[in-house]
Amino acid sequence: MPESESLRKVRTHLALYDHPLLAFSAQESNGAIEIAIDLKNSSVPVHTYRFTIHPRDLEHPQFDWNFQRQPYDALHDYFIEMFTRTPQDRKVPHSL
């Protein structure tokens, strides 16, 4: 199946990013583009973080600029989700 113009556009933008710890990929999913972020060479089991680029985002005249913000926002969420314990965790003893 040939790559769509939308997928090509997103992959072209993702190719501008290189990170020593993270790998980025993109695929089509239900009419949108799903971007996945994975840890490279991880010895710790961590989930793949996924976010979606919708057709309206791809068609926006400021897509190039807006796209820069999306991976950074996703990275923030991804790293926050990696916490194994937070102060809100009820399992933490209150006597610390």
Side-chain angles (χ1 to χ4, degrees):
M1 179 179 207
E3 187 174 83
S4 72
E5 182 61 35
S6 296
L7 183 56
R8 188 173 315 120
K9 183 177 186 176
V10 170
R11 285 182 173 166
T12 297
H13 280 275
L14 283 177
L16 300 173
Y17 295 82
D18 186 32
H19 194 284
L21 301 176
L22 302 170
F24 300 90
S25 61
Q27 66 182 14
E28 294 189 71
S29 177
N30 298 320
I33 304 298
E34 181 182 77
I35 296 178
I37 305 172
D38 284 299
L39 283 177
K40 294 179 184 176
N41 307 315
S42 175
S43 61
V44 178
V46 178
H47 69 287
T48 298
Y49 187 85
R50 300 178 191 282
F51 67 98
T52 304
I53 305 290
H54 299 281
R56 69 179 177 274
D57 300 322
L58 290 161
E59 296 164 5
H60 193 280
Q62 295 293 319
F63 171 77
D64 295 356
W65 180 254
N66 291 337
F67 183 78
Q68 289 182 27
R69 186 187 76 249
Q70 290 174 305
Y72 295 127
D73 289 348
L75 288 174
H76 174 268
D77 294 345
Y78 185 36
F79 278 91
I80 295 302
E81 289 177 10
M82 286 183 193
F83 277 103
T84 57
R85 185 177 68 213
T86 68
Q88 290 75 31
D89 190 337
R90 299 283 185 228
K91 295 180 233 173
V92 176
H94 293 293
S95 61
L96 291 179

